[in-house]
Amino acid sequence: MTTTTTQPLSKLDQLQKLLLRKNGASIAEMMHASGWQQHSVRGAMAGSLKKRGLVIISTKLDGTRRYHAEKPA
């Protein structure tokens, strides 16, 4: 009998998942998901997530800034 266990997503994995959604995520949504402060979320986008090869794009809709990520081709 084999059992498979999946490890919970790391905080960076959670942020990446949010950013890869069609609508992306706001800073507040990423702060809520990770439990991090605003400066830590921004730092993760500028550092670790870019090192993973993601291109972070910022847009402002109805006064709310949203971020989404794309994987380069």
Side-chain angles (χ1 to χ4, degrees), residues 7-52:
Q7 293 183 345
L9 293 176
S10 71
K11 291 182 180 190
L12 279 176
D13 291 336
Q14 291 173 9
L15 292 182
Q16 182 173 339
K17 186 176 177 181
L18 288 174
L19 290 169
L20 289 172
R21 296 185 307 184
K22 182 180 178 182
N23 294 333
S26 67
I27 291 287
E29 291 169 335
M30 291 185 276
M31 288 172 57
H32 180 74
S34 65
W36 289 344
Q37 294 182 13
Q38 180 177 350
H39 65 274
S40 299
V41 170
R42 290 183 188 278
M45 284 192 294
S48 299
L49 292 175
K50 281 191 177 182
K51 285 182 184 176
R52 290 183 174 194

